[in-house]
Amino acid sequence: MAHMRRMAALAAIAASSALVLAACSGGGDPTNSAAPTNTAANDEPVTLTWWHNGVAGDSGENSLGDYWDKVAADYHALHPNVTIEIEQIQNEDLQRTRIPTALQSGDAPDIFQQWGGGEMAAQAEAGYLMDLSDTLKDTIDTLGGAVGPWQADGKTYGLPFQFAVEGIWYRKSLFEKAGITSEPTTFDELNADVQKLKDANITPIAVGAADKWPAAHWWYNFALQACSQDVIKNLGSFDFTDPCFLQAGDNLQSFLDTKPFQKDFMSTVAQTGATSSAGMVANGNAAMELMGQWNFFVYQGFTDGSDAANQALLDDLGWFPVPAVGGGQGDPTAALGGGDGFSCYVDAPPQCADFLAYIVSDDVQKGFAEAVGGLPTNPNASSAVADPINQKIAAAASNAAYVQLWLDTDLGPNVGGALNDGIVAIFGGTGTPQGVVDNMTAAAATE
């Protein structure tokens, strides 16, 4: 796997949500509509298979899946010869099992969910992905820097439909019950709030450690603040000798020693069921969760689906950036982020690229923000972001010194997986900060 090439393109991503792009000169031409390129040049019947992670929550509500159904139907109305067959797949199964297996078998869907970074670079190097660089040049130019994580070796292999930074979601009513009057800006303040919540018999923080990556994100944030931007930028060199990586593990261990998480967090999943970490926050059984912007609509999947219930939940939700740790070489305003996009399989019909351009076109992206509550990557859709929490998340991305892609995604499945295994071992009481570094180093040696 060509990590050096990948990291040169991916490290230290410029803040790249639509609102960020709208505020920066580095984005694409805002007058360009990112319209489909009409590569569907003939009228022969074509069927596109589409795998995405828009699945229903406990209540059956599925705003993302419903929206993708509409997008497929609208595209079919514009192109009656193109039929789109959708399969909705739970995120963990989709990313870790279904897509890798399908690609390796040579029987992949035509268009599928793509998170970019090292995982995508590995797929591109294996020859699984369609090169979209020339076919969708105008669309790529419009999206600007947001496309960076979906590029490798100077070519574009996917397009993102949303990009955002992560932070800590919380329930305002539980903070009030515990006597917390302001959002913490440092880890000392966060630790104090954790104690206040425990004193009020409230579970302070939920984490889905059974899925590994939600737990790993805590270490990622400690690393981002312990390590200089240069060290983070050079992760692709697989040099993990900087002491900042051990400092990240030490800081994580100190945080774990405060016992901030729910009971049985090692067997808790992130998003499935009322006892998941998302379910605990949505149902008021935990006060906080470190998670990406997508929980804006994941949480709503645990209501009864009515507008009143969703609005009541949103009114009680708050969000703040990861607090400053102190004592590190990193910029405390740096943020971790990532996005969701789609790639076309290398042997997909050419209509796949046209449909992908349609997904990120102006009106479809505006509809995504309005119907789902997502943060679109098309600058021309930024005006559709109306919710105060989403506006706050977008502002945090704009104010960040830089935005770093999720570390496991950036490092690729081998080293990134070893990283997550080492971190979860610390959570489980069997690992050490040195073990995390050793895991990454050993995995890198097999590349």
Side-chain angles (χ1 to χ4, degrees), residues 359-372:
I359 288 174
V360 296
S361 61
D362 294 1
D363 289 343
V364 175
Q365 283 265 275
K366 290 177 182 175
F368 171 66
E370 294 166 352
V372 182

Side-chain angles (χ1 to χ4, degrees), residues 75-425:
Y75 186 82
H76 176 69
L78 293 170
H79 306 279
N81 64 310
V82 181
T83 300
I84 299 172
E85 295 181 349
I86 294 176
E87 186 171 354
Q88 302 174 356
I89 305 171
Q90 194 276 332
N91 190 77
E92 297 302 313
D93 188 30
L94 179 64
Q95 184 175 13
R96 300 305 176 201
T97 304
R98 295 291 300 278
I99 290 175
T101 301
L103 291 174
Q104 292 167 15
S105 70
D107 187 23
D110 296 307
I111 181 170
F112 55 92
Q113 197 95 17
Q114 179 62 259
W115 295 267
E119 292 180 358
M120 186 212 70
Q123 295 168 3
E125 187 166 291
Y128 296 144
L129 306 182
M130 181 184 292
D131 179 4
L132 305 166
S133 307
D134 296 330
T135 307
L136 299 184
K137 183 179 184 307
D138 289 345
T139 300
I140 293 166
D141 288 346
T142 294
L143 299 185
V147 183
W150 285 261
Q151 294 174 324
D153 294 335
K155 298 179 180 178
T156 301
Y157 292 101
L159 294 181
F161 60 86
Q162 72 167 346
F163 194 101
V165 299
E166 75 174 348
I168 296 180
W169 296 83
Y170 71 96
R171 296 298 299 258
K172 297 175 183 175
S173 56
L174 296 183
F175 267 35
E176 183 178 356
K177 183 178 179 181
I180 301 170
T181 57
S182 61
E183 297 168 349
T185 59
T186 68
F187 255 79
D188 286 343
E189 294 176 358
L190 178 63
N191 289 335
D193 290 342
V194 164
Q195 187 58 52
K196 289 179 181 177
L197 288 160
K198 287 197 287 189
D199 290 344
N201 295 317
I202 298 169
T203 298
I205 305 175
V207 62
D211 286 332
K212 295 186 178 179
W213 61 265
H217 278 217
W218 284 97
W219 186 95
Y220 301 170
N221 279 285
F222 285 121
L224 199 65
Q225 297 200 33
C227 300
S228 70
Q229 185 174 351
D230 285 342
V231 170
I232 295 295
K233 186 164 56 176
N234 291 319
L235 278 173
S237 67
F238 289 161
D239 178 2
F240 305 118
T241 59
D242 194 291
C244 69
F245 296 112
L246 290 176
Q247 184 182 349
D250 289 338
N251 288 339
L252 172 61
Q253 186 61 67
S254 296
F255 184 54
L256 287 170
D257 289 343
T258 70
K259 301 186 184 308
F261 300 114
Q262 80 277 16
K263 293 181 180 178
D264 301 323
F265 57 79
M266 291 297 291
S267 58
T268 300
V269 298
Q271 297 175 350
T272 304
T275 58
S276 66
S277 56
M280 291 183 69
V281 173
N283 294 321
N285 294 321
M288 292 181 273
E289 184 182 19
L290 172 65
M291 193 52 67
Q293 183 274 340
W294 56 78
N295 262 22
F296 180 85
F297 45 87
V298 170
Y299 288 143
Q300 294 178 62
F302 292 97
T303 72
D304 63 12
S306 66
D307 290 344
N310 285 336
Q311 192 57 55
L313 173 64
L314 292 176
D315 288 346
D316 194 47
L317 281 173
W319 183 97
F320 56 87
V322 174
V325 178
Q329 299 298 312
D331 190 314
T333 70
L336 281 165
D340 291 286
F342 294 109
S343 284
C344 290
Y345 184 52
V346 65
D347 291 333
Q351 286 84 354
C352 183
D354 192 69
F355 180 56
L356 183 49
Y358 178 73
I359 288 174
V360 296
S361 61
D362 294 1
D363 289 343
V364 175
Q365 283 265 275
K366 290 177 182 175
F368 171 66
E370 294 166 352
V372 182
L375 287 177
T377 51
N378 184 334
N380 299 323
S382 62
S383 61
V385 179
D387 184 87
I389 292 180
N390 280 331
Q391 290 177 341
K392 189 174 184 180
I393 293 172
S398 296
N399 295 330
Y402 68 98
V403 179
Q404 168 63 35
L405 189 66
W406 318 123
L407 298 190
D408 58 347
T409 301
D410 209 351
L411 288 167
N414 184 27
V415 180
L419 168 63
N420 288 354
D421 288 343
I423 297 167
V424 172

Side-chain angles (χ1 to χ4, degrees), residues 13-77:
I13 303 163
S16 51
S17 72
L19 293 185
V20 176
L21 288 170
C24 301
S25 60
D29 177 1
T31 64
N32 191 323
S33 64
T37 57
N38 195 26
T39 56
N42 61 65
D43 295 329
E44 293 293 323
V46 171
T47 297
L48 296 178
T49 52
W50 183 14
W51 288 5
H52 64 68
N53 66 356
V55 298
D58 277 12
S59 67
E61 190 274 340
N62 185 8
S63 59
L64 180 59
D66 292 346
Y67 186 65
W68 289 146
D69 285 348
K70 179 182 183 303
V71 168
D74 289 348
Y75 186 82
H76 176 69

